[in-house]
Amino acid sequence: MARPDKAASVAELEDQFRSSNAAVLTEYRGLTVAQLKTLRRSLGENAQYAVVKNTLTKIAANQAGITALDDQFTGPTAVAFVTGDPVESAKALRDFAKENPNLIIKGGVLEGKALSADEIKKLADLESREVLLSKLAGAFKGKQSQAAQLFQALPSKLVRTVDALRAKQAEQGGAE
């Protein structure tokens, strides 16, 4: 890497690998510029999709501590650097790949762990973070209301039992 422009590219890519939650490697062979523009828009603001040079990206990934992707830097490669919710970005890539079979998801990395293409597709099948959190909150709320009903049932059952005992004692006292 004698050229300063290549060193700057590697430093920028390394920074992107370090600052992102996830990175997804794709092959874009056969996609038009308009299709790539549509893909970038579909990823939204929480991901940046960049066409990269394999050698420089491999060096940057290694410097960022990511070595599991080394064998995937072949052919025309683009990387989606995800800074937001990785599930949303995985869904956007999966949906775009369904409509455009020329986009091939090669693999990726999520918080330092290497993911295969199949694992990224499974990630895309998950519900979004907000939906999962709302389901969790609903489950907690349901458990709280069950506990409240249980705590309300105990005193009322005690009152009914005491009333039944009084009635029984009154019957026995009246019979004597």
Side-chain angles (χ1 to χ4, degrees):
M1 260 193 332
R3 293 183 21 199
D5 58 334
K6 288 185 179 183
S9 295
V10 168
E12 182 181 340
L13 287 168
E14 179 184 356
D15 184 49
Q16 286 181 314
F17 274 113
R18 289 187 191 278
S19 64
S20 61
N21 301 342
V24 180
L25 274 64
T26 63
E27 183 176 321
Y28 63 92
R29 186 187 328 244
L31 293 176
T32 65
V33 173
Q35 289 172 324
L36 288 174
K37 191 174 183 181
T38 303
L39 174 58
R40 285 185 176 101
R41 265 194 245 116
S42 70
L43 287 172
E45 294 180 10
N46 67 347
Q48 180 184 354
Y49 190 75
V51 174
V52 295
K53 293 197 175 282
N54 289 330
T55 306
L56 300 179
T57 308
K58 184 177 178 180
I59 292 169
N62 288 333
Q63 288 178 356
I66 301 168
T67 58
L69 303 175
D70 286 354
D71 59 336
Q72 295 178 4
F73 291 111
T74 57
T77 303
V79 182
F81 294 102
V82 182
T83 54
D85 185 10
V87 173
E88 289 180 27
S89 298
K91 283 182 183 193
L93 286 167
R94 178 200 59 196
D95 294 344
F96 188 85
K98 282 182 183 177
E99 295 173 14
N100 301 285
N102 287 335
L103 181 75
I104 299 169
I105 298 173
K106 294 180 178 183
V109 63
L110 174 64
E111 296 179 358
K113 181 187 177 293
L115 299 176
S116 68
D118 290 335
E119 290 172 322
I120 291 172
K121 290 174 185 170
K122 287 178 186 175
L123 182 67
D125 292 336
L126 288 176
E127 293 175 333
S128 71
R129 183 176 189 271
E130 290 78 21
V131 171
L132 291 174
L133 287 174
S134 65
K135 284 185 175 183
L136 182 64
F140 280 140
K141 184 178 179 185
K143 293 297 179 189
Q144 287 175 342
S145 65
Q146 286 177 346
Q149 289 173 355
L150 176 67
F151 292 136
Q152 287 175 340
L154 290 175
S156 64
K157 187 174 182 180
L158 178 66
V159 168
R160 286 193 305 270
T161 305
V162 169
D163 286 343
L165 277 172
R166 279 188 197 146
K168 188 175 183 179
Q169 285 177 351
E171 283 178 17
Q172 288 177 353
E176 290 176 19

